[in-house]
Amino acid sequence: MKRVLSGLQPSGQLHLGNYAGAIKQFIAMQDDHEMFVFVASYHALTSARDADELRANIRQVVVDYLAFGLDPKKTNIYLQQDVPQVTELAWLLSCVCPKHMMDKATSFKDKTAKGLAASIGLYTYPILQAADILSVDPDLVPVGEDQRQHIEITRDLAQKFNHHFASEEDPVFKIPDAMIRTDSGAVVPGIDGQKMSKSYNNGIDPFMDEKPLRKRIMKIVSDSTPVDQPKDPDCDTTYQIFTALVGKDDERAAVLRDKYVNPPADGFGYGHAKQALFELILDEFGEARKRRIDLMNDAGYVEEVLKDGAAAASERVAAVTARARAAAGL
Ligand code: AMP
Ligand code: TRP
């Protein structure tokens, strides 16, 4: 059985982009993979400055993982801070990381351009991410397109460490593969048509109450083609969000597509498309929305899940760390 690792930063409410680009993949893989899914709380400290807010966001990501359908019987769910050996691995990797590798990393430039403080933690963020990944010897790392460079850095660092401290026949680190969605859900647009992102405040949160959720969806940008005119679904943000959720080949996407291209006699406007998206979200996330309310009232259960997840992850991470220490002469 192939082993999988991935994680998300607890930087606030998750949105449909996180779901379609990341969490949906984790759920689809959990029946036939050995899964490690964690909350990147140390990474969040590169931007978080309010401790109470961070504490709440960390719990919220776990609740949301569980609500969306990650099953703790199949997936080890844990907090990065509960497996602190990853920071030791990050140090070992940082000692074989040429400075220019970090200079070339685009996320530091992007994030500081958006106003994040240029801390050393933010600068070496990819090394900690490499440690998260290599610490459990995964085969596959499912992530969104924006994480491709971080997985490449991870592979490079693993190879460098192996080259310095081990032999090809008996490497310290396994070289994992990225698994990146390239279909219609690869990049989910937000309500303004740009990539859905917390920092653009253009997200759709599937757990919102119905009324504000509908209002938010009705705000999605659209052009001014009249209701009786055919429209190009491939140029429309509402349609793109719809297909990111269900896939282009889904029957519901085909029905919607047909209405864009051949509007019925009484017309089909963008308002109708947005209503269809609203109904789809209520339908797709109906169970998740109910589960989330129960989970928010069962902190004890959430703590149990995290305890078990941390125990499983710690066992693997301890073995990998011991291997790396010994190879390096510690
Ligand atoms: P972030 O919240 O930006 O740290 O992203 C967490 C995960 O969700 C990463 O794997 C991202 O690639 C994925 N993700 C974030 N925004 C989107 C989006 N708009 N479309 C698809 N995937 C996304
Ligand atoms: N950098 C990732 C993001 O912003 C979060 C992350 C941290 C991660 N460590 C990871 C993702 C390890 C996959 C594997 O989404």
Side-chain angles (χ1 to χ4, degrees):
M1 194 147 55
K2 289 205 164 161
R3 190 173 309 128
V4 171
L5 173 123
S6 196
L8 292 187
Q9 270 201 69
S11 45
Q13 189 51 59
L14 298 178
H15 53 63
L16 288 179
N18 301 131
Y19 174 74
I23 299 167
K24 197 170 179 221
Q25 276 64 255
F26 309 162
I27 293 166
M29 295 177 93
Q30 65 182 346
D31 285 326
D32 48 5
H33 293 81
E34 185 188 349
M35 303 287 294
F36 289 87
V37 173
F38 77 103
V39 180
S41 47
Y42 288 147
H43 281 107
L45 271 184
T46 56
S47 59
R49 291 295 175 264
D50 181 327
D52 289 332
E53 189 179 303
L54 179 59
R55 227 183 316 272
N57 283 343
I58 291 170
R59 256 52 191 183
Q60 193 62 59
V61 174
V62 180
V63 165
D64 290 352
Y65 275 158
L66 295 168
F68 277 127
L70 271 187
D71 178 352
K73 291 196 192 71
K74 300 173 185 163
T75 297
N76 298 301
I77 303 173
Y78 62 100
L79 307 182
Q80 194 178 26
Q81 73 216 46
D82 289 341
V83 188
Q85 298 99 313
V86 293
T87 58
E88 179 177 357
L89 269 187
W91 177 256
L92 298 183
L93 293 169
S94 76
C95 292
V96 299
C97 179
K99 180 172 169 292
H100 67 79
M101 211 183 216
M102 292 298 103
D103 291 337
K104 278 194 311 199
T106 54
S107 75
F108 179 80
K109 290 175 210 154
D110 294 347
K111 288 180 177 177
T112 51
K114 280 190 203 152
L116 263 195
S119 66
I120 295 297
L122 187 64
Y123 184 64
T124 59
Y125 181 116
I127 304 179
L128 180 60
Q129 182 160 351
D132 298 327
I133 296 171
L134 299 175
S135 72
V136 305
D137 280 333
D139 300 285
L140 292 171
V141 187
V143 281
E145 176 61 41
D146 56 351
Q147 296 296 312
R148 188 185 290 278
Q149 190 183 41
H150 288 158
I151 313 300
E152 272 159 21
I153 291 173
T154 301
R155 292 167 54 91
D156 280 354
L157 289 179
Q159 266 150 356
K160 282 198 193 302
F161 195 95
N162 287 343
H163 169 76
H164 289 299
F165 295 121
S167 61
E168 270 194 24
E169 306 77 59
D170 190 18
V172 171
F173 294 120
K174 183 150 93 190
I175 314 294
D177 287 311
M179 200 182 122
I180 296 176
R181 205 175 151 182
T182 52
D183 62 349
S184 56
V187 178
V188 185
I191 59 170
D192 59 356
Q194 290 192 75
K195 182 190 164 185
M196 191 178 288
S197 162
K198 226 184 74 77
S199 45
Y200 301 147
N201 191 24
N202 63 357
I204 297 175
D205 160 15
F207 295 122
M208 257 185 180
D209 286 337
E210 281 191 32
K211 243 182 148 171
L213 176 63
R214 186 166 184 283
K215 220 170 138 189
R216 185 99 178 137
I217 290 170
M218 289 299 158
K219 281 198 189 132
I220 297 173
V221 286
S222 47
D223 63 33
S224 51
T225 317
V227 286
D228 57 341
Q229 299 288 313
K231 299 168 186 66
D232 183 355
D234 298 318
C235 295
D236 183 46
T237 301
T238 304
Y239 183 76
Q240 282 162 15
I241 299 174
F242 194 100
T243 51
L245 289 177
V246 298
K248 264 209 159 85
D249 301 330
D250 186 90
E251 174 67 22
R252 293 164 290 183
V255 169
L256 184 64
R257 186 179 186 85
D258 188 54
K259 290 186 182 158
Y260 275 80
V261 182
N262 305 303
D266 54 349
F268 177 80
Y270 291 114
H272 297 108
K274 291 172 191 175
Q275 179 65 26
L277 176 62
F278 172 62
E279 284 165 18
L280 175 78
I281 290 175
L282 291 186
D283 196 38
E284 284 288 291
F285 298 105
E287 283 298 310
R289 290 163 65 95
K290 275 193 229 130
R291 253 198 312 265
R292 185 166 180 267
I293 294 169
D294 295 340
L295 285 160
M296 304 242 277
N297 292 316
D298 198 351
Y301 171 72
V302 174
E303 294 314 308
E304 275 304 303
V305 166
L306 290 176
K307 204 170 125 223
D308 293 349
S314 296
E315 198 179 311
R316 287 223 71 87
V317 176
V320 174
T321 309
R323 228 161 61 206
R325 290 179 71 137
L330 298 176

